[in-house]
Amino acid sequence: MQISRWIVSAAAAVVLALGAGSAIAAEKIKIGTEGAYPPFNTITPDGKVEGFDIDIANALCAQMKVECEIVTQDWDGIIPALQAKKFDVIIASMSITEERKKQVSFTHKYYTTPLSLVALKDSDIASTEPAALVGKTIGAQASTTQANYAQDVYGKAGAEAKLYPTQEEAVTDLLNGRLDAVISDKFVLVDWMKKASDGCCKMIGDVKGTETEAGIAVRLEDTALRDRLNAAIDAIVADGTYKKIQSKYFDFDIY
Protein backbone atom coordinates (compact mmCIF):
# COMPACT_ATOMS: atom_id res chain seq x y z
CA MET A 1 0.00 0.00 0.00
CA GLN A 2 2.80 2.39 0.94
CA ILE A 3 4.70 1.44 -2.26
CA SER A 4 1.60 2.20 -4.34
CA ARG A 5 1.21 5.55 -2.68
CA TRP A 6 4.89 6.34 -3.34
CA ILE A 7 4.49 5.45 -7.02
CA VAL A 8 1.43 7.67 -7.36
CA SER A 9 3.19 10.54 -5.57
CA ALA A 10 6.28 10.16 -7.73
CA ALA A 11 4.20 10.08 -10.90
CA ALA A 12 2.33 13.20 -9.80
CA ALA A 13 5.62 14.96 -9.09
CA VAL A 14 6.90 14.12 -12.58
CA VAL A 15 3.72 15.46 -14.17
CA LEU A 16 3.97 18.67 -12.17
CA ALA A 17 7.62 19.07 -13.07
CA LEU A 18 6.91 18.54 -16.75
CA GLY A 19 4.03 20.98 -16.56
CA ALA A 20 6.21 23.61 -14.93
CA GLY A 21 8.93 23.08 -17.53
CA SER A 22 6.40 23.50 -20.32
CA ALA A 23 5.11 26.71 -18.76
CA ILE A 24 8.62 28.13 -18.58
CA ALA A 25 9.37 27.09 -22.15
CA ALA A 26 6.14 28.62 -23.37
CA GLU A 27 6.61 31.94 -21.54
CA LYS A 28 6.30 34.82 -23.98
CA ILE A 29 6.94 38.50 -23.47
CA LYS A 30 5.27 40.82 -25.96
CA ILE A 31 7.37 43.89 -26.68
CA GLY A 32 6.02 47.13 -28.10
CA THR A 33 8.14 49.43 -30.25
CA GLU A 34 7.49 52.23 -32.72
CA GLY A 35 9.10 51.10 -35.97
CA ALA A 36 9.75 54.65 -37.22
CA TYR A 37 12.88 55.74 -35.35
CA PRO A 38 16.00 54.54 -37.19
CA PRO A 39 18.55 53.29 -36.32
CA PHE A 40 16.84 52.23 -33.09
CA ASN A 41 13.65 50.78 -34.51
CA THR A 42 12.39 50.77 -38.09
CA ILE A 43 10.24 48.71 -40.44
CA THR A 44 11.95 47.42 -43.58
CA PRO A 45 10.19 47.41 -46.98
CA ASP A 46 9.38 43.72 -46.49
CA GLY A 47 7.68 44.42 -43.14
CA LYS A 48 10.45 43.29 -40.79
CA VAL A 49 11.09 45.30 -37.62
CA GLU A 50 14.78 45.86 -36.95
CA GLY A 51 17.27 48.19 -35.28
CA PHE A 52 19.27 48.66 -32.10
CA ASP A 53 16.18 48.47 -29.86
CA ILE A 54 15.11 45.23 -31.52
CA ASP A 55 18.53 43.61 -31.16
CA ILE A 56 18.62 44.63 -27.49
CA ALA A 57 15.10 43.23 -26.99
CA ASN A 58 16.08 39.89 -28.51
CA ALA A 59 19.27 39.74 -26.44
CA LEU A 60 17.34 40.41 -23.23
CA CYS A 61 14.76 37.75 -24.06
CA ALA A 62 17.55 35.26 -24.76
CA GLN A 63 19.18 36.16 -21.44
CA MET A 64 15.87 35.65 -19.59
CA LYS A 65 15.15 32.48 -21.58
CA VAL A 66 11.74 33.65 -22.78
CA GLU A 67 10.15 33.93 -26.19
CA CYS A 68 10.05 37.42 -27.66
CA GLU A 69 7.25 38.82 -29.81
CA ILE A 70 7.79 42.29 -31.28
CA VAL A 71 4.76 44.42 -32.14
CA THR A 72 4.63 47.98 -33.48
CA GLN A 73 2.56 50.84 -32.15
CA ASP A 74 2.30 54.54 -33.08
CA TRP A 75 4.37 56.59 -30.66
CA ASP A 76 1.52 58.76 -29.39
CA GLY A 77 -0.41 55.70 -28.22
CA ILE A 78 2.44 53.54 -26.99
CA ILE A 79 1.99 54.12 -23.22
CA PRO A 80 -1.82 53.74 -23.33
CA ALA A 81 -1.34 50.50 -25.32
CA LEU A 82 1.03 49.18 -22.63
CA GLN A 83 -1.48 50.08 -19.94
CA ALA A 84 -4.24 48.34 -21.94
CA LYS A 85 -2.05 45.18 -21.96
CA LYS A 86 -1.61 45.07 -25.73
CA PHE A 87 2.01 44.26 -24.88
CA ASP A 88 4.09 43.80 -21.73
CA VAL A 89 7.15 45.96 -22.33
CA ILE A 90 8.12 49.07 -24.30
CA ILE A 91 11.57 49.01 -25.87
CA ALA A 92 11.46 52.07 -28.09
CA SER A 93 14.20 54.52 -27.05
CA MET A 94 11.90 56.06 -24.46
CA SER A 95 13.58 58.74 -22.36
CA ILE A 96 13.14 58.33 -18.62
CA THR A 97 11.28 61.40 -17.34
CA GLU A 98 9.51 62.25 -14.10
CA GLU A 99 6.22 62.71 -15.96
CA ARG A 100 6.41 59.27 -17.57
CA LYS A 101 7.33 57.69 -14.22
CA LYS A 102 3.79 58.51 -13.11
CA GLN A 103 2.44 56.24 -15.86
CA VAL A 104 5.02 53.46 -16.23
CA SER A 105 7.87 51.82 -14.34
CA PHE A 106 11.32 52.08 -15.93
CA THR A 107 14.33 49.81 -15.83
CA HIS A 108 17.65 51.50 -15.43
CA LYS A 109 19.12 52.97 -18.61
CA TYR A 110 20.22 51.01 -21.64
CA TYR A 111 21.73 54.04 -23.37
CA THR A 112 22.26 57.78 -22.87
CA THR A 113 21.82 60.56 -25.42
CA PRO A 114 21.75 64.37 -25.63
CA LEU A 115 19.48 66.29 -27.97
CA SER A 116 21.01 67.85 -31.08
CA LEU A 117 19.93 70.29 -33.74
CA VAL A 118 20.27 69.87 -37.52
CA ALA A 119 19.61 72.48 -40.22
CA LEU A 120 20.00 72.88 -43.99
CA LYS A 121 23.59 73.29 -45.14
CA ASP A 122 23.15 76.95 -46.13
CA SER A 123 21.33 77.88 -42.91
CA ASP A 124 22.48 80.93 -40.93
CA ILE A 125 21.79 79.09 -37.66
CA ALA A 126 25.12 78.84 -35.88
CA SER A 127 24.18 77.83 -32.35
CA THR A 128 21.71 75.69 -30.41
CA GLU A 129 21.12 78.52 -27.94
CA PRO A 130 17.53 79.81 -27.85
CA ALA A 131 18.62 83.32 -28.91
CA ALA A 132 19.98 81.91 -32.18
CA LEU A 133 16.58 80.47 -33.10
CA VAL A 134 14.32 83.50 -32.61
CA GLY A 135 11.94 83.70 -35.58
CA LYS A 136 12.86 80.20 -36.79
CA THR A 137 10.55 77.20 -37.17
CA ILE A 138 11.83 74.13 -35.33
CA GLY A 139 10.46 70.65 -36.01
CA ALA A 140 10.29 67.73 -33.58
CA GLN A 141 8.46 64.46 -33.09
CA ALA A 142 5.39 64.95 -30.88
CA SER A 143 5.17 63.49 -27.35
CA THR A 144 8.97 63.38 -26.96
CA THR A 145 11.54 65.16 -24.82
CA GLN A 146 12.66 67.04 -27.94
CA ALA A 147 9.09 68.24 -28.54
CA ASN A 148 8.99 69.50 -24.96
CA TYR A 149 12.26 71.35 -25.46
CA ALA A 150 11.14 72.82 -28.79
CA GLN A 151 7.97 74.17 -27.18
CA ASP A 152 9.11 75.05 -23.67
CA VAL A 153 12.53 76.52 -24.47
CA TYR A 154 12.75 77.51 -28.14
CA GLY A 155 9.06 78.38 -28.36
CA LYS A 156 9.12 80.66 -25.35
CA ALA A 157 12.28 82.34 -26.65
CA GLY A 158 10.57 83.34 -29.91
CA ALA A 159 10.81 80.33 -32.23
CA GLU A 160 7.85 78.40 -33.63
CA ALA A 161 7.69 74.72 -32.64
CA LYS A 162 6.08 72.42 -35.20
CA LEU A 163 5.36 68.85 -34.09
CA TYR A 164 5.03 65.69 -36.19
CA PRO A 165 3.73 62.15 -35.59
CA THR A 166 7.13 60.69 -36.62
CA GLN A 167 10.75 61.73 -36.87
CA GLU A 168 10.74 60.94 -40.60
CA GLU A 169 8.00 63.47 -41.27
CA ALA A 170 9.97 66.16 -39.45
CA VAL A 171 13.14 65.68 -41.50
CA THR A 172 11.08 65.46 -44.71
CA ASP A 173 9.67 68.92 -44.01
CA LEU A 174 13.20 70.16 -43.29
CA LEU A 175 14.32 68.91 -46.70
CA ASN A 176 11.29 70.55 -48.32
CA GLY A 177 12.11 73.92 -46.78
CA ARG A 178 9.16 74.02 -44.40
CA LEU A 179 11.41 74.02 -41.34
CA ASP A 180 14.55 75.88 -40.38
CA ALA A 181 15.84 73.08 -38.14
CA VAL A 182 14.94 69.79 -36.50
CA ILE A 183 15.69 68.87 -32.90
CA SER A 184 16.03 65.19 -31.99
CA ASP A 185 18.14 62.63 -30.19
CA LYS A 186 21.74 63.04 -31.31
CA PHE A 187 22.23 59.42 -32.39
CA VAL A 188 19.12 59.46 -34.58
CA LEU A 189 20.34 62.59 -36.34
CA VAL A 190 23.88 61.21 -36.72
CA ASP A 191 22.50 58.08 -38.38
CA TRP A 192 20.22 60.10 -40.67
CA MET A 193 23.07 62.44 -41.67
CA LYS A 194 25.20 59.44 -42.64
CA LYS A 195 22.58 57.44 -44.51
CA ALA A 196 19.70 59.53 -45.78
CA SER A 197 20.42 63.25 -45.73
CA ASP A 198 22.23 63.23 -49.12
CA GLY A 199 24.54 66.00 -47.93
CA CYS A 200 21.65 68.45 -47.51
CA CYS A 201 22.29 69.43 -43.95
CA LYS A 202 24.68 70.27 -41.17
CA MET A 203 24.73 69.39 -37.50
CA ILE A 204 24.49 72.58 -35.47
CA GLY A 205 25.54 70.79 -32.29
CA ASP A 206 24.39 69.27 -29.03
CA VAL A 207 21.82 71.13 -26.96
CA LYS A 208 23.37 71.90 -23.58
CA GLY A 209 21.85 70.26 -20.54
CA THR A 210 19.57 67.86 -22.43
CA GLU A 211 21.32 64.53 -21.88
CA THR A 212 18.73 61.86 -21.02
CA GLU A 213 18.70 58.13 -20.34
CA ALA A 214 16.61 55.72 -22.39
CA GLY A 215 14.91 52.98 -20.39
CA ILE A 216 12.60 50.03 -20.86
CA ALA A 217 9.04 50.63 -19.64
CA VAL A 218 6.63 48.19 -18.00
CA ARG A 219 3.31 48.71 -16.24
CA LEU A 220 3.61 50.25 -12.77
CA GLU A 221 2.57 47.03 -11.06
CA ASP A 222 4.98 44.78 -12.99
CA THR A 223 7.93 45.23 -10.65
CA ALA A 224 9.05 41.59 -10.95
CA LEU A 225 9.33 41.90 -14.73
CA ARG A 226 11.20 45.18 -14.36
CA ASP A 227 13.68 43.54 -11.99
CA ARG A 228 14.22 40.63 -14.40
CA LEU A 229 14.90 43.10 -17.21
CA ASN A 230 17.36 45.03 -15.03
CA ALA A 231 19.26 41.82 -14.29
CA ALA A 232 19.27 40.95 -18.00
CA ILE A 233 20.57 44.42 -18.97
CA ASP A 234 23.40 44.05 -16.45
CA ALA A 235 24.21 40.60 -17.82
CA ILE A 236 24.41 41.58 -21.51
CA VAL A 237 26.57 44.60 -20.63
CA ALA A 238 28.89 42.43 -18.53
CA ASP A 239 29.29 39.59 -21.06
CA GLY A 240 29.97 41.82 -24.09
CA THR A 241 26.67 41.22 -25.87
CA TYR A 242 25.68 44.87 -25.52
CA LYS A 243 28.98 46.10 -26.98
CA LYS A 244 28.63 43.70 -29.92
CA ILE A 245 25.14 45.01 -30.70
CA GLN A 246 26.24 48.61 -30.26
CA SER A 247 29.09 48.17 -32.77
CA LYS A 248 26.58 47.29 -35.51
CA TYR A 249 25.09 50.77 -35.33
CA PHE A 250 27.61 53.15 -33.74
CA ASP A 251 31.37 53.58 -33.76
CA PHE A 252 31.26 55.22 -30.32
CA ASP A 253 29.94 54.32 -26.89
CA ILE A 254 26.28 55.18 -26.25
CA TYR A 255 25.93 53.40 -22.90
Side-chain angles (χ1 to χ4, degrees):
M1 188 69 173
Q2 289 179 340
I3 293 174
S4 297
R5 287 177 179 172
W6 180 86
I7 292 171
V8 171
S9 298
V14 170
V15 170
L16 287 171
L18 288 172
S22 298
I24 292 169
E27 185 181 0
K28 178 186 286 188
I29 294 178
K30 191 175 286 189
I31 296 171
T33 196
E34 182 187 11
Y37 204 62
F40 292 96
N41 56 80
T42 189
I43 301 173
T44 65
D46 61 357
K48 183 181 178 183
V49 188
E50 62 180 23
F52 177 83
D53 286 335
I54 311 310
D55 288 354
I56 290 294
N58 288 324
L60 294 176
C61 287
Q63 180 65 38
M64 296 188 293
K65 295 179 173 58
V66 298
E67 184 182 347
C68 241
E69 181 184 353
I70 308 292
V71 298
T72 56
Q73 168 70 47
D74 289 345
W75 180 256
D76 277 352
I78 204 163
I79 288 179
L82 174 70
Q83 293 169 330
K85 299 188 176 181
K86 292 183 179 179
F87 37 80
D88 308 299
V89 177
I90 297 172
I91 303 183
S93 293
M94 182 173 283
S95 296
I96 301 170
T97 67
E98 292 304 314
E99 187 62 32
R100 287 175 179 154
K101 284 180 181 178
K102 298 173 185 176
Q103 304 175 74
V104 298
S105 181
F106 282 103
T107 63
H108 49 240
K109 70 167 186 176
Y110 69 103
Y111 75 87
T112 306
T113 181
L115 298 180
S116 289
L117 199 71
V118 69
L120 293 174
K121 192 159 50 178
D122 60 356
S123 172
D124 62 355
I125 298 172
S127 167
T128 63
E129 293 296 321
L133 298 167
V134 174
K136 305 295 187 182
T137 303
I138 313 301
Q141 184 178 9
S143 302
T144 61
T145 53
Q146 50 262 37
N148 293 341
Y149 197 92
Q151 292 177 306
D152 298 342
V153 179
Y154 290 147
K156 289 179 180 177
E160 178 187 353
K162 191 172 181 181
L163 306 185
Y164 297 82
T166 68
Q167 171 73 18
E168 292 173 358
E169 290 171 83
V171 294
T172 296
D173 261 12
L174 176 66
L175 293 175
N176 290 332
R178 299 188 187 98
L179 296 173
D180 295 299
V182 167
I183 184 171
S184 187
D185 287 345
K186 178 179 182 176
F187 306 142
V188 171
L189 291 177
V190 167
D191 183 73
W192 178 73
M193 292 278 286
K194 284 181 179 178
K195 297 177 181 177
S197 69
D198 198 26
C200 70
C201 303
K202 62 181 179 180
M203 190 78 77
I204 304 301
D206 294 350
V207 182
K208 292 179 182 177
T210 61
E211 189 171 88
T212 59
E213 296 180 341
I216 296 169
V218 301
R219 288 179 287 274
L220 289 171
E221 65 270 21
D222 288 346
T223 54
L225 178 56
R226 180 202 62 203
D227 293 346
R228 290 175 69 192
L229 286 162
N230 275 333
I233 292 170
D234 291 344
I236 68 169
V237 169
D239 70 11
T241 301
Y242 182 96
K243 189 173 182 180
K244 185 176 179 181
I245 293 170
Q246 176 184 260
S247 67
K248 289 176 56 179
Y249 300 94
F250 309 103
D251 54 7
F252 50 88
D253 183 25
I254 70 169
Y255 186 73

